Amino acid sequence: MMWIMRFSGFFSAAMMMIVLSPSLQSFPSIESSLKFSFRKAPAFHNADQCNYPTFGKSGVCDPSLIHVAITLDVEYLRGSIAAVHSILQHSKCPENVFFHFLVSETTLETLVRSTFPELKFKSYYFDPEKVRGLISSSVRQELEQPLNYARNYLADLLEPCVRRVIYLDSDLVLVDDILKLWSTSLGKKTIGAPEYCHTNFTKYFTGYFWSEPRFSGVFSLRNTCYFNTGVMVIDLNKWRRFGYTRRIEKWMEIQKTSPSRIYELGSLPPFLLVFAGHVAPIEHRWNQHGLGGDNVRGSCRDLHTGPVSLLHWSGSGKPWLRLDSKQPCPLDSLWSPYDLYEHSSHFFLL
């Protein structure tokens, strides 16, 4: 009897390790799932002055739609749901917003539909194997997840008729009308984002990178500034025309094949290599980033000075985790009104 009890304890511990460790989640004989429950969001309707999309006729190609792309996965699902909720709540024309969810598993679509019954959306499967061989280790394991790189392939995943899209990370909320961001002029540029020119740009690349003119020379004729890729307005027509997906992939290949690393921080550096110095500037109010603290400790941060239209918990600390642990940062209270989460439960299929 004692050995049965010991085995039972060992099996329970093994199950917990599989849930908590990404490296064990591919264990071949056990399939794990995580069941979430969210409250149903209220219905959101257009104001009188909005142009109603004729969605039944032209679908996703309707020119009156605002296109928003967000990744959808189990780990950040709670954040994604809150982000969608915040967009709808502050939009004057919520029925004109179309969401493009980038997923690596298709089972989450039902949950989205039950939470937002009237939401206009479509899921796009992103095969993790497409980038797995290109990803390098990073300072945080979550930055190595293949779905982080799905934004590089938006021009391929979305319908050709979708000419512009707003890409948003899952750890943010809007407190302003997304139509204002959608209406941003990109001029002749392919992407627009808030730039932070006071940031030390050199820290995003290694000493080896800066010591090699064949690499660092890419910035020689550019006025480079850091920008956060969690909030971008993208001209997909120009992206397709100039083949930017392949340009990003080439830098990822160089990182993998060089004798020394040329960068450390996940999916951001390849974007900087291709676009830094070629970005249409957007007001800082559209990305009050860094609220998750740094990439190691996740310490509390204050807002940057100036007006706020979007709050972004980039960094290692996420508001839902800190709120659940009863150790929130002061600004996490600004995220919680958009949280529709009720509970979750693990279950296993042998």
Side-chain angles (χ1 to χ4, degrees):
M1 182 63 69
M2 182 62 70
W3 72 269
I4 294 176
M5 294 176 63
R6 287 176 177 172
F7 178 78
S8 177
F10 171 78
F11 186 77
S12 298
M15 293 299 96
M16 184 59 70
M17 288 178 65
I18 290 171
V19 171
L20 296 179
S21 173
S23 62
L24 295 176
Q25 287 178 356
S26 58
F27 192 75
S29 61
I30 298 174
E31 179 184 343
S32 66
S33 297
L34 186 63
K35 185 176 182 180
F36 286 86
S37 177
F38 291 90
R39 300 188 306 279
K40 187 170 81 168
F44 296 94
H45 299 293
N46 283 1
D48 292 338
Q49 61 268 42
C50 298
N51 293 320
Y52 281 82
T54 55
F55 190 71
K57 296 180 180 179
S58 52
V60 71
C61 298
D62 191 309
S64 66
L65 292 175
I66 298 170
H67 296 279
V68 179
I70 301 179
T71 58
L72 208 62
D73 68 339
V74 169
E75 185 176 358
Y76 282 81
L77 181 61
R78 191 169 168 187
S80 298
I81 294 294
V84 171
H85 188 201
S86 72
I87 292 169
L88 297 174
Q89 184 166 317
H90 292 284
S91 176
K92 186 181 296 183
C93 306
E95 295 176 84
N96 291 33
V97 183
F98 190 99
F99 290 89
H100 304 264
F101 293 121
L102 312 177
V103 303
S104 54
E105 55 178 296
T106 58
T107 57
L108 299 176
E109 186 169 322
T110 302
L111 187 149
V112 172
R113 180 63 66 197
S114 64
T115 307
F116 302 102
E118 299 181 23
L119 192 71
K120 293 181 176 67
F121 76 91
K122 181 179 177 180
S123 296
Y124 300 78
Y125 178 72
F126 179 72
D127 185 359
E129 296 306 316
K130 192 171 186 67
V131 293
R132 202 180 297 279
L134 295 173
I135 297 174
S136 303
S137 59
S138 184
V139 293
R140 283 174 27 223
Q141 190 174 35
E142 55 264 39
L143 297 179
E144 302 170 24
Q145 298 306 310
L147 202 56
N148 287 338
Y149 295 82
R151 60 190 166 201
N152 301 356
Y153 298 88
L154 281 169
D156 299 327
L157 293 169
L158 273 56
E159 288 79 356
C161 65
V162 180
R163 300 178 178 182
R164 170 183 281 222
V165 68
I166 297 173
Y167 173 81
L168 298 176
D169 274 352
S170 300
D171 52 357
L172 54 77
V173 294
L174 272 74
V175 292
D176 203 345
D177 192 342
I178 197 167
L179 177 61
K180 298 177 184 177
L181 181 59
W182 176 255
S183 302
T184 299
S185 173
L186 299 183
K188 296 181 179 180
K189 302 294 195 298
T190 301
I191 70 169
E195 292 185 294
Y196 304 91
C197 297
H198 62 279
T199 301
N200 179 11
F201 188 81
T202 61
K203 71 178 182 180
Y204 294 100
F205 302 95
T206 64
Y208 174 72
F209 172 89
W210 292 112
S211 70
E212 288 284 337
R214 62 193 171 112
F215 298 146
S216 58
V218 71
F219 295 130
S220 61
L221 299 178
R222 299 198 224 165
N223 183 18
T224 55
C225 295
Y226 161 76
F227 65 95
N228 180 282
T229 53
V231 179
M232 295 185 292
V233 181
I234 305 174
D235 184 325
L236 293 176
N237 275 356
K238 289 179 182 174
W239 185 293
R240 295 172 181 125
R241 188 184 314 142
F242 295 109
Y244 283 116
T245 295
R246 183 60 193 139
R247 296 191 195 189
I248 291 173
E249 286 180 334
K250 284 182 178 179
W251 280 111
M252 295 173 69
E253 291 168 357
I254 290 172
Q255 162 84 336
K256 296 288 285 187
T257 57
S258 291
S260 297
R261 297 171 65 97
I262 61 173
Y263 57 80
E264 301 289 350
L265 192 63
S267 61
L268 170 64
F271 249 90
L272 296 178
L273 284 160
V274 172
F275 289 110
H278 300 307
V279 176
I282 293 176
E283 289 183 88
H284 288 177
R285 67 189 303 153
W286 288 106
N287 196 350
Q288 284 271 350
H289 69 292
L291 303 185
D294 61 36
N295 281 311
V296 180
R297 296 183 298 275
S299 52
C300 295
R301 296 268 179 91
D302 293 326
L303 288 175
H304 307 292
T305 57
V308 180
S309 293
L310 185 151
L311 299 158
H312 187 187
W313 279 262
S314 57
S316 63
K318 302 306 172 190
W320 56 92
L321 297 177
R322 296 194 294 219
L323 287 163
D324 285 353
S325 68
K326 309 300 182 185
Q327 296 179 321
C329 291
L331 292 177
D332 294 346
S333 63
L334 300 177
W335 179 88
S336 58
Y338 307 101
D339 185 18
L340 295 173
Y341 173 80
E342 288 185 326
H343 64 81
S344 67
S345 59
H346 294 278
F347 63 92
F348 298 92
L349 302 175
L350 297 181

